[in-house]
Coordinates of all heavy atoms in Angstrom, one line a residue:
H47 N -4.8 2.3 -9.4 CA -4.9 2.4 -7.9 C -5.8 1.3 -7.4 O -6.9 1.5 -6.9 CB -5.4 3.8 -7.5 CG -4.5 4.9 -8.0 ND1 -3.6 5.5 -7.2 CD2 -4.3 5.4 -9.3 CE1 -2.9 6.4 -8.0 NE2 -3.3 6.3 -9.2
H51 N -1.4 -1.1 -3.9 CA -0.8 -0.4 -5.1 C 0.2 0.6 -4.6 O 0.2 1.1 -3.5 CB -1.8 0.2 -6.0 CG -2.5 1.4 -5.3 ND1 -3.6 1.2 -4.5 CD2 -2.3 2.7 -5.4 CE1 -4.0 2.4 -4.1 NE2 -3.2 3.3 -4.6
A52 N 1.2 0.9 -5.5 CA 2.1 1.9 -5.2 C 1.7 3.2 -6.0 O 1.6 3.1 -7.2 CB 3.5 1.5 -5.6
D53 N 1.6 4.3 -5.3 CA 1.4 5.6 -6.0 C 2.8 6.0 -6.5 O 3.8 5.8 -5.7 CB 0.9 6.7 -5.1 CG -0.6 6.6 -4.8 OD1 -1.3 5.8 -5.5 OD2 -1.0 7.5 -4.0
H57 N 1.6 11.0 -9.5 CA 0.2 11.0 -9.2 C -0.2 12.3 -8.5 O -1.3 12.7 -8.7 CB -0.1 9.8 -8.4 CG -1.5 9.6 -7.9 ND1 -2.6 9.8 -8.7 CD2 -2.0 9.4 -6.7 CE1 -3.7 9.6 -8.0 NE2 -3.4 9.4 -6.8
P151 N -7.3 3.0 1.5 CA -7.1 3.3 0.1 C -6.2 4.6 -0.2 O -5.8 4.8 -1.3 CB -8.5 3.6 -0.4 CG -9.4 3.1 0.6 CD -8.7 3.1 1.9
S152 N -6.0 5.4 0.9 CA -5.2 6.6 0.6 C -4.5 7.1 1.9 O -5.0 6.8 3.0 CB -6.2 7.7 0.2 OG -5.4 8.9 0.0
H164 N 0.2 13.3 0.9 CA 0.9 13.0 -0.3 C 2.0 14.0 -0.6 O 3.1 13.7 -1.1 CB -0.1 13.0 -1.5 CG -1.0 11.7 -1.6 ND1 -2.2 11.6 -1.0 CD2 -0.8 10.6 -2.3 CE1 -2.7 10.4 -1.2 NE2 -1.9 9.8 -2.0
E176 N -0.5 1.7 -0.7 CA -1.8 1.9 -0.2 C -2.6 0.6 -0.4 O -2.3 -0.2 -1.3 CB -2.5 3.1 -0.8 CG -1.8 4.4 -0.5 CD -2.3 5.6 -1.4 OE1 -2.6 5.4 -2.6 OE2 -2.3 6.7 -1.0
D201 N 1.0 6.8 -13.2 CA 0.8 7.4 -11.9 C 0.8 6.4 -10.8 O 0.9 6.8 -9.6 CB -0.5 8.1 -11.9 CG -1.7 7.3 -12.5 OD1 -1.7 7.1 -13.7 OD2 -2.5 6.9 -11.7
A202 N 0.7 5.1 -11.1 CA 0.6 4.1 -10.0 C 0.8 2.7 -10.6 O 0.7 2.5 -11.9 CB -0.7 4.1 -9.3
Ligands
ZN301 ZN1 -3.2 5.6 -4.9

Side-chain angles (χ1 to χ4, degrees):
H47 302 258
H51 67 276
D53 278 358
H57 175 52
S152 177
H164 282 91
E176 296 167 328
D201 47 290

